[in-house]
Amino acid sequence: MSVSVYTTPSCAYCHKVKDWLKARGVRYDEYNVASDQRRADEMVRKSGQMGVPVTDVNGRIIIGFNTAELERALR
């Protein structure tokens, strides 16, 4: 399973997504879009959104901290 989380350091909901994933033992790659323009462009291309967090679970894009969608994607 491939999980990527696009974040910024000051985003409270980004921290919530990461804590939620950690609590469930889900490994993920984190990309700080504030300091990595390539990853920021990738996030916008995938999601159509400028806001964070954006989580990519095997190509399924979840915008924001949406536990119901995260749980469905991780099944």
Coordinates of all heavy atoms in Angstrom, one line a residue:
M1 N 0.8 -1.2 0.0 CA 0.0 0.0 0.0 C 0.9 1.2 0.0 O 1.9 1.3 0.7 CB -0.9 0.0 1.2 CG -1.7 1.3 1.3 SD -2.9 1.3 2.7 CE -3.9 -0.1 2.2
S2 N 0.5 2.2 -0.8 CA 1.3 3.4 -0.9 C 0.4 4.6 -0.4 O -0.7 4.8 -0.8 CB 1.6 3.7 -2.4 OG 2.1 5.0 -2.6
V3 N 1.0 5.3 0.6 CA 0.3 6.4 1.2 C 1.2 7.6 1.3 O 2.3 7.5 1.7 CB -0.2 6.1 2.7 CG1 -1.0 7.3 3.3 CG2 -1.1 4.9 2.7
S4 N 0.7 8.7 0.7 CA 1.5 10.0 0.7 C 0.6 11.1 1.3 O -0.6 11.1 1.0 CB 1.9 10.4 -0.7 OG 2.6 9.4 -1.3
V5 N 1.2 11.9 2.1 CA 0.5 13.0 2.7 C 1.2 14.3 2.4 O 2.4 14.5 2.6 CB 0.4 12.9 4.3 CG1 -0.4 14.0 4.9 CG2 -0.2 11.5 4.7
Y6 N 0.5 15.2 1.7 CA 1.0 16.5 1.3 C 0.6 17.5 2.4 O -0.6 17.6 2.8 CB 0.4 17.0 0.0 CG 0.8 16.0 -1.1 CD1 0.1 14.9 -1.4 CD2 1.9 16.3 -1.9 CE1 0.4 14.0 -2.4 CE2 2.3 15.4 -2.9 CZ 1.5 14.3 -3.2 OH 1.9 13.4 -4.2
T7 N 1.6 18.2 3.0 CA 1.4 19.0 4.2 C 2.2 20.3 4.1 O 3.0 20.5 3.2 CB 1.9 18.2 5.5 OG1 3.3 18.1 5.4 CG2 1.3 16.9 5.6
T8 N 1.9 21.1 5.1 CA 2.7 22.3 5.5 C 3.0 22.3 7.0 O 2.1 21.7 7.7 CB 2.1 23.6 5.1 OG1 0.9 23.8 5.8 CG2 1.8 23.7 3.6
P9 N 4.1 22.8 7.4 CA 4.4 22.7 8.9 C 3.3 23.4 9.8 O 3.1 22.9 10.9 CB 5.7 23.5 9.0 CG 6.3 23.4 7.6 CD 5.1 23.4 6.7
S10 N 2.7 24.4 9.3 CA 1.8 25.2 10.2 C 0.3 24.7 10.1 O -0.6 25.2 10.8 CB 1.8 26.7 9.8 OG 1.4 26.8 8.5
C11 N 0.0 23.6 9.4 CA -1.3 23.1 9.2 C -1.8 22.2 10.3 O -1.2 21.1 10.4 CB -1.4 22.4 7.8 SG -2.8 21.4 7.5
A12 N -2.8 22.6 11.1 CA -3.2 21.8 12.2 C -3.9 20.5 11.7 O -3.7 19.4 12.3 CB -4.2 22.6 13.0
Y13 N -4.6 20.5 10.6 CA -5.3 19.3 10.1 C -4.3 18.4 9.5 O -4.5 17.2 9.5 CB -6.4 19.7 9.1 CG -7.6 20.3 9.7 CD1 -7.9 21.6 9.7 CD2 -8.4 19.4 10.5 CE1 -8.9 22.1 10.4 CE2 -9.5 19.9 11.1 CZ -9.8 21.3 11.1 OH -10.9 21.8 11.8
C14 N -3.1 18.9 9.0 CA -2.1 18.0 8.5 C -1.5 17.1 9.7 O -1.3 15.9 9.6 CB -0.9 18.8 7.9 SG -1.4 19.8 6.5
H15 N -1.3 17.8 10.8 CA -0.9 17.1 12.0 C -1.9 16.0 12.5 O -1.6 14.9 12.9 CB -0.6 18.0 13.2 CG 0.6 18.9 12.9 ND1 1.9 18.5 13.0 CD2 0.7 20.2 12.6 CE1 2.7 19.4 12.7 NE2 2.0 20.5 12.4
K16 N -3.2 16.4 12.3 CA -4.3 15.4 12.7 C -4.2 14.2 11.8 O -4.4 13.1 12.3 CB -5.6 16.1 12.6 CG -5.9 17.1 13.8 CD -7.3 17.7 13.6 CE -7.5 18.8 14.6 NZ -8.1 18.3 15.8
V17 N -4.1 14.4 10.5 CA -4.0 13.3 9.6 C -2.8 12.4 9.9 O -2.9 11.2 10.0 CB -3.9 13.7 8.1 CG1 -3.5 12.6 7.2 CG2 -5.2 14.4 7.6
K18 N -1.6 13.0 10.1 CA -0.4 12.2 10.4 C -0.6 11.4 11.7 O -0.2 10.3 11.8 CB 0.8 13.1 10.5 CG 1.1 13.7 9.1 CD 2.4 14.5 9.1 CE 2.3 15.8 9.9 NZ 3.5 16.6 9.9
D19 N -1.1 12.1 12.8 CA -1.4 11.4 14.0 C -2.3 10.3 13.9 O -2.2 9.2 14.5 CB -1.9 12.4 15.1 CG -0.8 13.4 15.5 OD1 0.4 13.2 15.3 OD2 -1.2 14.4 16.1
W20 N -3.4 10.5 13.1 CA -4.4 9.4 12.9 C -3.8 8.2 12.2 O -4.0 7.1 12.6 CB -5.5 10.0 12.0 CG -6.8 9.2 11.9 CD1 -7.8 9.2 12.7 CD2 -7.0 8.2 10.9 NE1 -8.8 8.2 12.3 CE2 -8.3 7.6 11.1 CE3 -6.3 7.8 9.8 CZ2 -8.8 6.7 10.3 CZ3 -6.9 6.8 9.0 CH2 -8.1 6.2 9.3
L21 N -3.0 8.5 11.1 CA -2.3 7.4 10.4 C -1.3 6.6 11.3 O -1.3 5.4 11.4 CB -1.6 7.9 9.2 CG -2.5 8.4 8.1 CD1 -1.7 9.2 7.0 CD2 -3.3 7.3 7.4
K22 N -0.5 7.4 12.1 CA 0.4 6.8 13.0 C -0.3 5.9 14.1 O 0.2 4.8 14.4 CB 1.2 7.9 13.8 CG 2.3 8.5 12.9 CD 3.0 9.6 13.7 CE 3.7 10.5 12.8 NZ 4.1 11.8 13.5
A23 N -1.4 6.4 14.6 CA -2.1 5.6 15.6 C -2.6 4.3 15.1 O -2.8 3.3 15.8 CB -3.3 6.4 16.1
R24 N -2.8 4.2 13.8 CA -3.3 3.0 13.1 C -2.1 2.2 12.5 O -2.4 1.2 11.8 CB -4.3 3.3 12.1 CG -5.7 3.6 12.7 CD -6.5 4.6 12.0 NE -7.7 4.9 12.8 CZ -7.7 5.8 13.7 NH1 -6.6 6.5 14.1 NH2 -8.8 6.1 14.4
G25 N -0.9 2.6 12.7 CA 0.2 1.9 12.2 C 0.4 1.9 10.7 O 1.1 1.1 10.1
V26 N -0.1 3.0 10.1 CA 0.0 3.2 8.6 C 1.2 3.9 8.3 O 1.4 5.0 8.8 CB -1.3 3.9 8.1 CG1 -1.1 4.1 6.6 CG2 -2.5 3.1 8.4
R27 N 2.1 3.3 7.5 CA 3.3 4.0 7.1 C 3.0 4.9 5.9 O 2.2 4.6 5.0 CB 4.4 3.0 6.7 CG 4.8 2.2 7.9 CD 5.8 1.2 7.4 NE 6.9 1.9 6.8 CZ 8.2 1.5 6.8 NH1 8.5 0.4 7.3 NH2 9.1 2.2 6.2
Y28 N 3.6 6.1 5.9 CA 3.3 7.1 4.8 C 4.5 7.9 4.5 O 5.4 8.0 5.4 CB 2.1 8.0 5.2 CG 2.4 8.8 6.5 CD1 3.0 10.1 6.4 CD2 2.0 8.3 7.7 CE1 3.3 10.8 7.5 CE2 2.3 9.1 8.9 CZ 2.9 10.3 8.8 OH 3.2 11.0 9.9
D29 N 4.5 8.5 3.3 CA 5.5 9.5 3.0 C 4.9 10.8 3.1 O 3.8 11.0 2.7 CB 6.0 9.2 1.5 CG 6.7 7.9 1.3 OD1 7.6 7.6 2.1 OD2 6.4 7.2 0.4
E30 N 5.7 11.7 3.7 CA 5.2 13.1 3.9 C 5.9 14.0 3.0 O 7.2 14.0 2.9 CB 5.4 13.5 5.4 CG 4.9 15.0 5.6 CD 5.1 15.4 7.0 OE1 5.7 14.7 7.8 OE2 4.8 16.6 7.3
Y31 N 5.2 14.9 2.3 CA 5.8 15.9 1.4 C 5.4 17.3 1.9 O 4.2 17.6 2.0 CB 5.4 15.7 0.0 CG 5.7 14.3 -0.5 CD1 4.7 13.4 -0.9 CD2 7.1 13.9 -0.6 CE1 5.1 12.2 -1.3 CE2 7.4 12.6 -1.0 CZ 6.4 11.8 -1.4 OH 6.7 10.5 -1.8
N32 N 6.4 18.1 2.3 CA 6.1 19.5 2.7 C 6.0 20.4 1.5 O 7.0 20.7 0.8 CB 7.3 20.0 3.6 CG 7.1 21.4 4.1 OD1 6.2 22.1 3.6 ND2 8.0 21.8 5.0
V33 N 4.8 20.8 1.1 CA 4.6 21.5 -0.1 C 5.0 23.0 0.0 O 5.0 23.7 -1.0 CB 3.1 21.4 -0.7 CG1 2.9 19.9 -1.0 CG2 2.1 21.9 0.3
A34 N 5.2 23.4 1.3 CA 5.7 24.8 1.5 C 7.1 25.0 1.0 O 7.5 26.0 0.6 CB 5.6 25.2 3.0
S35 N 7.9 23.9 1.1 CA 9.3 24.0 0.7 C 9.7 23.2 -0.5 O 10.9 23.2 -0.9 CB 10.2 23.5 1.9 OG 10.0 22.1 2.2
D36 N 8.8 22.4 -1.1 CA 9.1 21.6 -2.2 C 8.0 21.9 -3.4 O 6.9 21.3 -3.4 CB 9.0 20.1 -1.8 CG 9.4 19.1 -2.9 OD1 9.4 19.5 -4.1 OD2 9.8 18.0 -2.5
Q37 N 8.4 22.8 -4.3 CA 7.5 23.2 -5.3 C 7.1 22.1 -6.2 O 6.0 22.0 -6.7 CB 8.1 24.3 -6.2 CG 7.2 25.0 -7.2 CD 6.0 25.6 -6.5 OE1 6.1 26.3 -5.6 NE2 4.8 25.2 -7.0
R38 N 8.0 21.1 -6.5 CA 7.7 20.0 -7.3 C 6.5 19.2 -6.7 O 5.6 18.8 -7.4 CB 8.9 19.1 -7.6 CG 8.7 18.0 -8.5 CD 10.0 17.2 -8.8 NE 10.5 16.5 -7.6 CZ 10.0 15.3 -7.3 NH1 9.1 14.6 -8.1 NH2 10.5 14.7 -6.2
R39 N 6.6 18.9 -5.4 CA 5.6 18.2 -4.8 C 4.3 19.0 -4.7 O 3.2 18.5 -4.7 CB 6.0 17.8 -3.4 CG 7.1 16.7 -3.4 CD 6.7 15.4 -4.0 NE 7.7 14.4 -3.9 CZ 7.6 13.2 -4.3 NH1 6.5 12.8 -4.9 NH2 8.6 12.4 -4.2
A40 N 4.4 20.3 -4.5 CA 3.2 21.2 -4.5 C 2.5 21.1 -5.8 O 1.3 21.0 -5.9 CB 3.6 22.6 -4.2
D41 N 3.2 21.1 -6.9 CA 2.6 21.0 -8.3 C 2.0 19.7 -8.4 O 0.9 19.5 -9.0 CB 3.7 21.2 -9.4 CG 4.3 22.6 -9.4 OD1 3.6 23.6 -8.8 OD2 5.3 22.8 -10.0
E42 N 2.7 18.6 -7.9 CA 2.1 17.3 -8.0 C 0.8 17.2 -7.2 O -0.2 16.6 -7.7 CB 3.2 16.3 -7.4 CG 2.8 14.9 -7.4 CD 3.9 14.0 -6.7 OE1 4.8 13.7 -7.5 OE2 3.8 13.8 -5.5
M43 N 0.7 17.8 -6.1 CA -0.5 17.7 -5.2 C -1.6 18.4 -6.0 O -2.7 17.9 -6.0 CB -0.2 18.4 -3.9 CG -1.4 18.5 -3.0 SD -1.2 19.6 -1.6 CE -1.4 21.2 -2.4
V44 N -1.4 19.6 -6.6 CA -2.4 20.3 -7.3 C -2.9 19.5 -8.5 O -4.1 19.4 -8.8 CB -1.9 21.7 -7.7 CG1 -2.9 22.4 -8.6 CG2 -1.7 22.6 -6.4
R45 N -1.9 18.9 -9.2 CA -2.3 18.1 -10.4 C -3.2 16.9 -9.9 O -4.2 16.6 -10.6 CB -1.0 17.6 -11.0 CG -1.3 16.9 -12.4 CD 0.0 16.6 -13.1 NE 0.9 15.6 -12.4 CZ 2.0 15.9 -11.7 NH1 2.5 17.2 -11.7 NH2 2.7 15.0 -11.1
K46 N -2.9 16.3 -8.8 CA -3.6 15.1 -8.4 C -5.0 15.5 -7.8 O -6.0 14.8 -8.0 CB -2.9 14.4 -7.2 CG -1.7 13.6 -7.7 CD -1.1 12.9 -6.5 CE 0.1 12.0 -6.9 NZ 0.6 11.2 -5.8
S47 N -5.1 16.6 -7.1 CA -6.3 16.9 -6.3 C -7.1 18.1 -6.9 O -8.3 18.2 -6.5 CB -5.9 17.3 -4.9 OG -5.2 18.5 -4.8
G48 N -6.4 18.9 -7.7 CA -7.1 20.1 -8.1 C -7.2 21.2 -7.0 O -8.0 22.1 -7.1
Q49 N -6.5 20.9 -5.9 CA -6.7 21.8 -4.7 C -5.3 22.4 -4.4 O -4.3 21.8 -4.6 CB -7.1 21.0 -3.5 CG -8.4 20.3 -3.6 CD -9.6 21.3 -3.6 OE1 -9.6 22.1 -2.7 NE2 -10.5 21.1 -4.5
M50 N -5.4 23.6 -3.8 CA -4.2 24.3 -3.3 C -4.0 24.1 -1.8 O -3.0 24.2 -1.2 CB -4.2 25.8 -3.5 CG -4.2 26.2 -5.0 SD -2.6 26.0 -5.8 CE -1.8 27.3 -5.0
G51 N -5.1 23.7 -1.1 CA -5.1 23.5 0.3 C -4.6 22.2 0.8 O -4.6 21.2 0.0
V52 N -4.1 22.1 2.0 CA -3.6 20.9 2.6 C -4.4 20.6 3.8 O -5.1 21.5 4.3 CB -2.1 21.0 3.0 CG1 -1.2 21.1 1.8 CG2 -1.8 22.3 3.8
P53 N -4.4 19.3 4.3 CA -3.7 18.2 3.8 C -4.4 17.6 2.6 O -5.6 17.6 2.5 CB -3.7 17.2 5.0 CG -5.0 17.5 5.7 CD -5.2 19.0 5.5
V54 N -3.6 16.9 1.8 CA -4.1 16.0 0.7 C -3.4 14.7 0.9 O -2.2 14.6 1.1 CB -3.8 16.6 -0.7 CG1 -4.1 15.6 -1.8 CG2 -4.5 17.9 -1.0
T55 N -4.2 13.6 1.0 CA -3.6 12.3 1.2 C -3.9 11.5 0.0 O -5.1 11.5 -0.5 CB -4.3 11.7 2.5 OG1 -4.1 12.6 3.6 CG2 -3.6 10.3 2.8
D56 N -2.9 10.8 -0.5 CA -3.0 9.9 -1.6 C -2.8 8.4 -1.1 O -1.8 8.1 -0.6 CB -2.0 10.2 -2.6 CG -2.0 9.4 -3.9 OD1 -2.6 8.3 -3.8 OD2 -1.3 9.8 -4.9
V57 N -3.9 7.7 -1.2 CA -3.9 6.3 -0.8 C -4.1 5.4 -2.0 O -5.2 5.3 -2.5 CB -5.0 5.9 0.3 CG1 -4.9 4.5 0.7 CG2 -4.9 6.8 1.5
N58 N -3.0 4.9 -2.5 CA -3.0 4.1 -3.8 C -3.7 4.8 -4.9 O -4.5 4.2 -5.6 CB -3.6 2.7 -3.5 CG -2.8 1.8 -2.6 OD1 -1.5 2.0 -2.6 ND2 -3.4 0.9 -1.9
G59 N -3.5 6.1 -5.0 CA -4.1 6.8 -6.1 C -5.5 7.4 -5.8 O -6.1 8.2 -6.5
R60 N -6.0 7.1 -4.6 CA -7.3 7.7 -4.2 C -7.0 8.9 -3.4 O -6.3 8.9 -2.4 CB -8.1 6.7 -3.3 CG -9.4 7.1 -2.9 CD -10.2 6.0 -2.2 NE -11.5 6.4 -1.8 CZ -12.4 5.6 -1.3 NH1 -12.1 4.3 -1.2 NH2 -13.5 6.0 -0.9
I61 N -7.5 10.0 -3.8 CA -7.2 11.3 -3.3 C -8.2 11.8 -2.2 O -9.4 11.8 -2.5 CB -7.1 12.4 -4.4 CG1 -6.1 12.0 -5.4 CG2 -6.7 13.8 -3.8 CD1 -4.7 11.7 -4.9
I62 N -7.7 12.1 -1.0 CA -8.6 12.5 0.1 C -8.1 13.9 0.5 O -7.0 14.1 0.8 CB -8.5 11.5 1.3 CG1 -8.9 10.2 0.8 CG2 -9.3 12.0 2.4 CD1 -8.3 9.0 1.5
I63 N -9.1 14.8 0.4 CA -8.8 16.2 0.8 C -9.2 16.5 2.2 O -10.3 16.2 2.5 CB -9.4 17.2 -0.3 CG1 -8.9 16.9 -1.7 CG2 -9.3 18.6 0.1 CD1 -9.7 17.4 -2.8
G64 N -8.3 17.1 2.9 CA -8.7 17.5 4.3 C -8.5 16.3 5.3 O -7.9 15.3 4.9
F65 N -9.0 16.5 6.5 CA -8.9 15.4 7.5 C -10.3 14.7 7.5 O -11.2 15.1 8.3 CB -8.5 16.0 8.8 CG -8.5 15.0 10.0 CD1 -7.8 13.8 9.8 CD2 -9.1 15.2 11.2 CE1 -7.7 12.9 10.8 CE2 -9.1 14.3 12.2 CZ -8.4 13.1 12.0
N66 N -10.5 13.7 6.7 CA -11.7 13.0 6.5 C -11.5 11.6 6.9 O -11.1 10.7 6.1 CB -12.2 13.2 5.1 CG -13.5 12.6 4.8 OD1 -14.0 11.6 5.4 ND2 -14.2 13.1 3.8
T67 N -11.8 11.2 8.2 CA -11.5 9.9 8.7 C -12.4 8.8 8.0 O -11.9 7.7 7.7 CB -11.8 9.8 10.2 OG1 -13.1 10.2 10.5 CG2 -10.8 10.7 10.9
A68 N -13.6 9.1 7.6 CA -14.4 8.1 6.9 C -13.8 7.8 5.6 O -13.7 6.6 5.3 CB -15.9 8.7 6.8
E69 N -13.4 8.8 4.9 CA -12.7 8.5 3.6 C -11.4 7.8 3.7 O -11.1 6.9 3.0 CB -12.6 9.8 2.8 CG -13.8 10.3 2.1 CD -14.4 9.3 1.1 OE1 -13.6 8.7 0.3 OE2 -15.6 9.0 1.1
L70 N -10.6 8.2 4.7 CA -9.4 7.5 5.0 C -9.6 6.1 5.3 O -8.9 5.2 4.8 CB -8.6 8.2 6.1 CG -8.0 9.6 5.8 CD1 -7.6 10.3 7.1 CD2 -6.8 9.4 4.9
E71 N -10.6 5.8 6.2 CA -10.8 4.4 6.5 C -11.2 3.6 5.3 O -10.8 2.4 5.1 CB -11.9 4.3 7.6 CG -11.4 4.7 9.0 CD -12.5 4.8 10.0 OE1 -13.7 4.5 9.7 OE2 -12.2 5.1 11.2
R72 N -12.1 4.1 4.5 CA -12.5 3.4 3.2 C -11.3 3.1 2.3 O -11.2 2.1 1.8 CB -13.6 4.2 2.5 CG -15.0 4.0 3.0 CD -16.0 4.5 2.0 NE -16.1 6.0 2.1 CZ -16.9 6.6 3.0 NH1 -17.5 6.0 3.9 NH2 -16.9 7.9 3.0
A73 N -10.5 4.2 2.2 CA -9.3 4.0 1.3 C -8.3 3.0 1.8 O -7.6 2.3 1.0 CB -8.6 5.4 1.1
L74 N -8.2 2.9 3.1 CA -7.2 2.0 3.7 C -7.7 0.5 3.8 O -6.9 -0.4 4.1 CB -6.8 2.5 5.1 CG -6.0 3.8 5.0 CD1 -5.9 4.3 6.5 CD2 -4.6 3.6 4.5
R75 N -8.9 0.2 3.5 CA -9.4 -1.1 3.5 C -8.8 -2.0 2.5 O -8.5 -1.6 1.4 CB -10.9 -1.2 3.4 CG -11.6 -0.8 4.6 CD -13.1 -1.1 4.6 NE -13.8 -0.3 5.6 CZ -14.8 0.5 5.3 NH1 -15.3 0.6 4.1 NH2 -15.3 1.2 6.3

